[in-house]
Amino acid sequence: MIDDFLTGDLSDVEEAVRKAAAAEIVPRYRRLAAHEVDEKTGPHDLVTIADRCAEEHLTASLTALLPGSVVVGEEAVHADPAVADALHGDAPVWIVDPVDGTRQFVHGEPGFCTLVALALRGEVLASWTYAPVLDELAVAVRGRGARLGGTPLRSGSPEPGAVLRVAMSHPDYTTPEQKRALLGLAVPGVEARPCGSAGLEYLAVARGDLDAVAFSWELAWDHAAGLLLVTEAGGAHLTVTGEPFRIAGANDLPFTAARDEATARRVRELLT
């Protein structure tokens, strides 16, 4: 079933992602009322009516496209952590982050996106990264490459001797222990900055505009789509123990995704 779906016309998924953003996210961009923004775990962890409504929209449309599939969405898991158990099951799983970069969305900035990935038994098979305000849609299918607006993505490699550009976990979202681990990037030859939307940082790596990311958390909806995008563009990802990142969790953190294997190994060494 899943093989037939993946070899078929996936434009229906793209249309579902675009429709959810057009119906639930874009009309609220720069029009949010105060009561439409809430805190989840703290002042830096925000959720809006757009997050909730877009996830509901995608849950209905995506499961209709692939009967028997289930959805693991950021907001559903926040309401009921047991929803995430589906990542370990045998049903195809849509992994959804309705608004990745909610803080940017709340502040009226364009740097946010909708992330959708399709996985089975812990393996990401396809992904969609859609930035509606920037009008950018990147699609990756395992073994078939990655595209941005129909154009193939190639991450390439950093120029020899060039300063390595790395986006890392934002200080607002890191514990003291995580900050200490990321201090490994504070060395000559590395230019590290706090990340924005994780999905858009992954896209920057896949298109060769950023050399690597280094993240200290493992929420599947933040990483599944982007990791496949980077991999299919020619990049690689590693945890601090040298193993690939697992979307179902239990990773040794932090981890990196980079434009090529050599860069991933270099960043990993700095993080250990």
Side-chain angles (χ1 to χ4, degrees):
M1 178 182 69
I2 190 72
D3 291 338
D4 291 341
F5 182 81
L6 289 169
T7 55
D9 183 3
L10 295 177
S11 62
D12 286 348
V13 182
E14 176 180 330
E15 183 180 3
V17 174
R18 289 185 181 274
K19 282 185 174 180
E24 309 295 354
I25 300 172
V26 175
R28 296 178 168 105
Y29 179 56
R30 295 179 175 171
R31 296 183 180 88
L32 286 169
H35 71 276
E36 294 176 326
V37 182
D38 295 318
E39 294 182 7
K40 290 197 285 189
T41 60
H44 299 298
D45 187 11
L46 303 177
V47 62
T48 74
I49 186 174
D51 296 74
R52 295 184 175 117
C53 291
E55 184 167 308
E56 291 171 1
H57 192 294
L58 285 165
T59 297
S61 60
L62 294 174
T63 52
L65 290 175
L66 183 57
S69 63
V70 297
V71 172
V72 171
E74 177 177 7
E75 307 315 326
V77 173
H78 178 70
D80 178 8
V83 170
D85 293 344
L87 293 170
H88 302 275
D90 291 327
V93 180
W94 298 99
I95 304 170
V96 174
D97 190 341
V99 182
D100 180 67
T102 300
R103 180 163 63 174
Q104 286 80 6
F105 178 69
V106 169
H107 292 165
E109 301 167 4
F112 63 90
C113 61
T114 296
L115 300 174
V116 172
L118 179 60
L120 181 64
R121 301 185 190 96
E123 182 180 24
V124 184
L125 303 174
S127 76
W128 294 260
T129 300
Y130 180 45
V133 176
L134 301 176
D135 192 27
E136 293 185 330
L137 176 66
V139 180
V141 180
R142 181 167 295 278
R144 289 163 51 186
R147 292 179 174 271
L148 176 62
T151 301
L153 281 169
R154 298 285 185 270
S155 57
S157 298
E159 292 292 329
V163 172
L164 208 62
R165 301 159 299 165
V166 182
M168 63 179 183
S169 297
H170 197 288
D172 289 347
Y173 297 88
T174 51
T175 66
E177 182 181 357
Q178 292 168 341
K179 286 182 175 68
R180 285 192 292 273
L182 293 168
L183 277 175
L185 298 173
V187 296
V190 176
E191 184 180 283
R193 61 164 175 79
C195 73
S197 154
L200 294 184
E201 302 291 13
Y202 280 118
L203 176 56
V205 174
R207 69 204 305 181
D209 292 339
L210 182 69
D211 296 318
V213 293
F215 292 141
S216 55
W217 79 97
E218 59 177 359
L219 300 175
W221 46 85
D222 284 327
H223 303 303
L227 287 171
L228 182 64
L229 190 65
V230 168
T231 301
E232 289 298 317
H237 53 90
L238 294 171
T239 66
V240 289
T241 54
E243 298 173 327
F245 182 90
R246 297 182 295 270
I247 61 161
N251 293 283
D252 293 297
L253 301 171
F255 74 97
T256 183
R259 293 173 65 185
D260 60 10
E261 182 77 27
T263 304
R265 289 197 303 268
R266 181 182 173 192
V267 174
R268 178 217 164 226
E269 289 169 1
L270 293 171
L271 294 172
T272 56

